[in-house]
């Protein structure tokens, strides 16, 4: 393998702006979209940043998602964490880290719960939850933290209702899910947060198996061939992804729109622009950026030979900003046709809850632009606390204020 273009690990500093990839990643994509990457532990792997290469890789079953077949090499320096860990035993139910046929078996049981038809049936309820949270926010005296009062509660309420997780338990699972996603922490700290969540969820799915309700976890618990451990792993993944990703998109997306006031004004005046704007925000922000794959055999990708056993780091954000796929890819443009973005992945691991996320985002941005057209930041943009320390990008808080009264 030739010398890595990034010899000391993956750059993570957002030095081009709060919404953009690190400049080194952008330069690398233009020079070599499938590039050797030297991990901090000295191990050589690969970094994939080009749109076409990422799409091809994610549809190729020769690139495995399993973490029990190779050493995980962390692509950046992480204080307190080892730069490489031994192969981890598979976690029952955590289908995002599985390959077919085991992945297929588990995902098939969830597909019926997340059909487009069922998600559309939830749309009225999502809108109701969104409007009620905005009612509560509008009664407060600004400045108000949009994260704590709106962006986090909306998807948390929705996913709790869908899964059958008591919302009154949110203080526990929200704290532990946030702790689990912190990048700069020891493995013991991460596992403590994970253990707290899975202990809680194991008790919950056990109760649902004994006394099922009208919710997704009860539906899953009704499958006798799923163990409690598998139910717990699936519940952990659905709960974590179901509120963290959408919450960060709502908050960071509002920040991005307020930083583009002409596009915010257009959305306030024309709600028909919302579906396209949501797709563009999904592409432009890509809050879940880095994913891992492991080559199970020698694979040719974009003219490079990736040897069997190699760790491959994929940047979805870099791929979604590839100018070879999207014209003026570095600009936010709510009029863009952003179909084909890779924010929800591609291939058999494509996000199961993507239709629900779209419904929540349309409801959230729709309510904000309709009812609070005078919304604006309450602090300078460079004072907004960014989640550069987390594995899902966003803002820790978004202080906002507004002019006038909220529209009903």
């Amino acid at each position: 393998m030739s010398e890595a273009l990034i010899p000391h690990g993956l750059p993570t500093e957002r030095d081009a702006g709060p919404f953009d990839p690190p400049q080194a990643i952008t330069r690398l994509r233009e020079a070599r979209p499938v590039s050797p990457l030297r991990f901090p532990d000295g191990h050589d792997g690969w970094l994939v940043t080009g749109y076409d290469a990422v799409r091809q890789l994610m549809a190729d079953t020769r690139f495995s998602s399993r973490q029990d077949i190779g050493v995980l090499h962390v692509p950046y320096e992480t204080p307190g964490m080892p730069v490489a860990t031994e192969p981890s035993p598979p976690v029952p139910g955590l289908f995002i880290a599985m390959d077919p046929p085991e992945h297929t078996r588990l995902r098939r049981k969830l597909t019926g719960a997340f059909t487009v038809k069922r998600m559309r049936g939830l749309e009225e309820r999502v809108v109701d939850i969104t409007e009620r949270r905005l009612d509560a926010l509008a009664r407060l005296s600004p400045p108000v933290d949009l994260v704590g009062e709106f962006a986090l509660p909306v998807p948390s309420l929705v996913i709790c209702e869908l899964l059958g997780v008591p919302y009154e338990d949110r203080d526990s699972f929200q704290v532990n899910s946030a702790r689990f996603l912190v990048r700069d922490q020891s493995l013991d700290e991460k596992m403590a947060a994970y253990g707290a969540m899975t202990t809680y969820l194991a008790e919950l799915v056990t109760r649902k198996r004994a006394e099922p309700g009208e919710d997704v976890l009860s539906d899953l618990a009704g499958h006798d061939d799923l163990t409690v451990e598998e139910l717990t792993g699936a519940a952990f993944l659905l709960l974590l992804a179901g509120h963290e990703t959408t919450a960060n998109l709502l908050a960071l997306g509002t920040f991005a729109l307020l930083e583009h006031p002409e596009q915010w004004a257009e959305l306030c005046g024309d709600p028909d622009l919302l579906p396209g704007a949501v797709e563009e925000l999904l592409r432009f922000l890509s809050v879940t950026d880095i994913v891992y794959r492991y080559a199970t055999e020698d694979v040719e990708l974009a003219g490079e030979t990736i040897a069997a056993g190699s760790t491959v780091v994929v940047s979805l954000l870099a791929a979604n900003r590839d100018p070879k796929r999207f014209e003026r890819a570095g600009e936010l443009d709510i009029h863009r046709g952003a179909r084909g973005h890779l924010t929800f992945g591609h291939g058999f691991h494509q996000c199961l809850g993507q239709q629900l996320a779209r419904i929540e985002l349309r409801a959230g941005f729709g309510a904000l632009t309709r009812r609070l057209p005078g919304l604006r930041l309450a602090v300078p943009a460079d004072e907004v606390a960014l989640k550069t320390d987390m594995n899902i990008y966003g803002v820790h808080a978004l202080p906002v204020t507004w002019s006038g009264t909220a529209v009903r």
Side-chain angles (χ1 to χ4, degrees):
M1 181 181 295
S2 60
E3 184 68 20
L5 296 181
I6 298 182
H8 302 298
L10 187 69
T12 58
E13 182 182 353
R14 299 249 177 172
D15 52 358
F19 313 113
D20 301 320
Q23 294 183 72
I25 296 293
T26 299
R27 289 193 297 268
L28 183 64
R29 183 193 59 223
E30 303 312 311
R32 196 172 179 182
V34 178
S35 172
L37 171 67
R38 179 151 299 155
F39 294 83
D41 66 346
H43 167 78
D44 285 333
W46 294 87
L47 173 65
V48 184
T49 53
Y51 178 91
D52 289 340
V54 169
R55 186 177 171 90
Q56 180 184 336
L57 179 150
M58 299 192 81
D60 193 330
T61 56
R62 293 174 296 177
F63 290 101
S64 174
S65 298
R66 290 169 52 188
Q67 295 182 12
D68 61 324
I69 61 173
V71 175
L72 171 61
H73 297 266
V74 180
Y76 36 72
E77 295 284 3
T78 306
M81 284 280 286
V83 292
T85 61
E86 290 304 312
S88 303
V91 177
L94 205 66
F95 54 91
I96 197 173
M98 294 178 178
D99 297 334
E102 193 64 7
H103 170 271
T104 309
R105 179 182 76 90
L106 282 166
R107 185 170 172 120
R108 186 175 292 137
K109 295 182 185 302
L110 282 162
T111 302
F114 287 90
T115 60
V116 173
K117 181 178 180 181
R118 184 169 185 177
M119 292 303 102
R120 286 176 178 164
L122 281 171
E123 192 157 3
E124 185 176 337
R125 179 61 182 145
V126 172
V127 169
D128 180 61
I129 288 171
T130 303
E131 294 292 335
R132 288 176 181 272
R133 286 306 311 174
L134 201 50
D135 286 342
L137 182 147
R139 288 193 291 267
L140 301 174
S141 298
V144 171
D145 174 22
L146 194 77
V147 174
E149 299 296 337
F150 184 75
L152 182 58
V154 166
S156 293
L157 279 161
V158 171
I159 198 65
C160 281
E161 194 165 303
L162 181 65
L163 296 182
V165 175
Y167 184 64
E168 56 268 25
D169 296 341
R170 65 190 181 279
D171 287 345
S172 173
F173 74 72
Q174 285 178 353
V175 166
N176 284 308
S177 66
R179 286 176 178 165
F180 178 78
L181 292 169
V182 171
R183 181 178 294 162
D184 295 342
Q185 65 176 326
S186 70
L187 186 59
D188 287 344
E189 290 172 316
K190 181 179 283 286
M191 294 311 296
Y194 173 76
M197 285 190 71
T198 53
T199 297
Y200 165 75
L201 289 169
E203 295 171 354
L204 181 64
V205 297
T206 300
R207 292 202 305 270
K208 289 186 178 296
R209 176 155 277 177
E211 299 177 10
E214 298 293 325
D215 54 70
V216 168
L217 292 187
S218 292
D219 292 348
L220 283 177
H223 291 278
D224 293 336
D225 60 331
L226 290 179
T227 66
V228 170
E229 290 76 18
E230 287 177 317
L231 290 169
T232 301
F236 168 79
L237 186 58
L238 293 172
L239 182 60
L240 182 76
H243 78 279
E244 285 285 356
T245 52
T246 309
N248 282 294
L249 275 162
L250 274 174
L252 191 65
T254 302
F255 182 20
L257 288 170
L258 294 179
E259 285 294 281
H260 295 78
E262 71 291 344
Q263 297 190 55
W264 172 264
E266 282 193 84
L267 279 178
C268 291
D270 187 358
D272 289 341
L273 293 173
L274 272 170
V278 165
E279 295 305 313
E280 172 65 350
L281 288 165
L282 284 163
R283 178 200 73 86
F284 185 71
L285 300 174
S286 305
V287 297
T288 303
D289 179 13
I290 299 298
V291 297
Y292 296 90
R293 293 292 186 268
Y294 308 92
T296 59
E297 59 183 86
D298 291 356
V299 184
E300 292 288 328
L301 185 66
E304 306 282 359
T305 299
I306 298 180
S310 296
T311 300
V312 184
V313 180
V314 179
S315 174
L316 299 179
L317 175 58
N320 278 336
R321 296 294 191 91
D322 191 339
K324 293 178 181 177
R325 174 60 178 83
F326 298 102
E327 188 178 352
R328 298 176 289 104
E331 300 177 16
L332 176 68
D333 180 4
I334 61 173
H335 297 282
R336 182 195 308 276
R339 291 176 61 87
H341 64 74
L342 298 172
T343 298
F344 292 119
H346 180 64
F348 57 89
H349 275 297
Q350 194 168 42
C351 177
L352 196 64
Q354 60 181 289
Q355 296 306 326
L356 177 60
R358 288 183 168 101
I359 289 168
E360 291 176 291
L361 293 169
R362 289 197 297 267
F365 291 124
L368 287 170
T369 52
R370 176 175 55 84
R371 298 187 58 184
L372 289 173
L375 193 70
R376 62 184 185 276
L377 292 180
V379 297
D382 60 5
E383 292 183 13
V384 174
L386 302 170
K387 287 188 174 180
T388 54
D389 58 332
M390 306 291 281
N391 287 318
I392 296 181
Y393 189 62
V395 294
H396 287 289
L398 190 69
V400 294
T401 187
W402 55 88
S403 54
T405 57
V407 178
R408 285 295 301 170

